[in-house]
Structures are given as C-alpha cells and as structure tokens.
Amino acid sequence: MVAAAFAVCSAEAAGQEELDTSLRIAVVDPNRIVEESPQYESARQVLLEELNERESTLIDQQEGIDRLQKRLERDAALMSEDELQRLQNDIRSRTRRLRYEKEEMQEDFALRKNELRTRLVKQVEEVVAQIARQKGIDLILTDGVVYFSERMDVSDEIIERLKKEFADR
C-alpha cells in the first residue's frame, strides 16, 4: 500500500515540476487508541451496569425456580395430582421464560456492544481526520505495518484529543 502511494505521488510529481513531492505518512495503533480512550472505559462501564442489572433479575428468577423444584421434591408425595401437575407446569413455564430472557439478554448485550463500538470508531475516525488535516498528513496507516519509527506514530495525539473531547462533554 505504501509502495502504491509512493508510485502515485512519483508519477504525479514527474508530470508537474512545481508540485510538492513530499509525502507525509503517519501510523496509528487502533487497539491502543480504543483501549486508552476514556470513551471506551465509559462505554464499558455502561455495558457492565446494564448487564449486572439484567443478570440480577435472571438470578432472582433462577432462585425462584430452584425453590419450586425443592418444594416439588419435598412435597410431591403429599400433593394431589392437580397440585403436582400445576407445580410441574409452573416450573417448566418459568424455566422456558428464563431461557428466553437469557438469550434475549445476550442478543441485547451484543447489539448494545456493537452500537457503542460503532460510535467510538466513528469518533476515532473523526479525530484521526482532524489531526491529519491539522498536521498536513497525506496518509495514515494502521494494521499490517511491519515497521515504523515512533516519530510517525500519532496515536498519542489521538488519545489526548479523545480525552479532551470526553472531558468537554
């Protein structure tokens, strides 16, 4: 990709004598940017709180089912056929509902996680573009770079800008 960028710039420069042939390239570490941004930590905390609330409800439901199951085991011999049938149906119904709610929680959690990640990625992309324009950077590379000097890495500036934007909200 870098070679292609140089080839394009060289071809253009050969055709125009007055064109500035210097190409400014930078590198970013997207994983580090995401992990060190306060937006990521905030989103992670929001997800954990949402997950903990729903898990607490599911645990309460499971405990209710366990109590009914113990009652069934303890009192089955003393119950009438109708009572026994009602209790077994209630346990089955609650178990089905719990299973459904667990699946729904997992789907909601995955969806919410993707929403937050998408929002963060968009925000990071905006900051990268701002810094590129401000510093006159022509090309910013990410994953797959074999070597780069620390001078080319603008990840710290992006993280600082994200921290500032987070603090300003």
Side-chain angles (χ1 to χ4, degrees):
M1 190 155 68
V2 173
F6 281 124
V8 168
C9 288
S10 297
E12 288 179 6
Q16 298 177 350
E17 294 288 328
E18 296 176 25
L19 182 65
D20 180 14
T21 60
S22 63
L23 178 64
R24 294 203 56 196
I25 300 174
V27 177
V28 295
D29 181 350
N31 292 329
R32 189 171 136 236
I33 291 169
V34 168
E35 290 173 6
E36 292 183 22
S37 72
Q39 290 86 342
Y40 173 76
E41 184 58 32
S42 175
R44 194 177 73 73
Q45 287 298 326
V46 166
L47 279 176
L48 284 177
E49 287 172 14
E50 290 175 9
L51 184 64
N52 288 339
E53 282 179 31
R54 291 190 61 184
E55 278 185 336
S56 174
T57 302
L58 296 177
I59 288 170
D60 290 344
Q61 290 176 2
Q62 182 63 56
E63 289 172 352
I65 293 169
D66 293 344
R67 280 192 301 277
L68 291 175
Q69 192 68 40
K70 285 179 184 173
R71 180 175 161 222
L72 176 65
E73 291 169 5
R74 184 187 65 225
D75 299 340
L78 305 173
M79 293 179 167
S80 70
E81 194 61 38
D82 277 350
E83 287 177 310
L84 185 62
Q85 191 65 42
R86 269 194 305 258
L87 185 55
Q88 288 172 334
N89 288 341
D90 190 23
I91 291 171
R92 266 194 304 276
S93 174
R94 289 178 185 223
T95 302
R96 247 189 323 259
R97 218 172 332 163
L98 178 62
R99 193 175 323 120
Y100 172 75
E101 288 182 26
K102 281 181 181 179
E103 289 172 5
E104 185 178 323
M105 181 188 76
Q106 290 171 342
E107 289 174 9
D108 289 349
F109 181 72
L111 181 65
R112 190 83 168 98
K113 187 176 174 181
N114 285 336
E115 287 173 1
L116 292 171
R117 178 180 286 136
T118 300
R119 191 177 324 145
L120 180 58
V121 165
K122 184 174 170 44
Q123 193 171 9
V124 168
E125 287 172 352
E126 289 172 3
V127 170
V128 168
Q130 290 171 2
I131 288 175
R133 282 189 297 271
Q134 288 171 352
K135 295 181 133 266
I137 298 171
D138 299 303
L139 177 66
I140 295 183
L141 302 171
T142 185
D143 299 330
V145 177
V146 177
Y147 171 80
F148 61 90
S149 73
E150 291 301 314
R151 199 168 56 96
M152 294 182 73
D153 190 354
V154 293
S155 298
D156 288 332
E157 292 175 60
I158 294 167
I159 292 168
E160 288 307 313
R161 180 80 53 95
L162 288 168
K163 286 179 180 178
K164 183 181 180 316
E165 286 182 8
F166 185 78
D168 291 346
R169 323 190 261 158

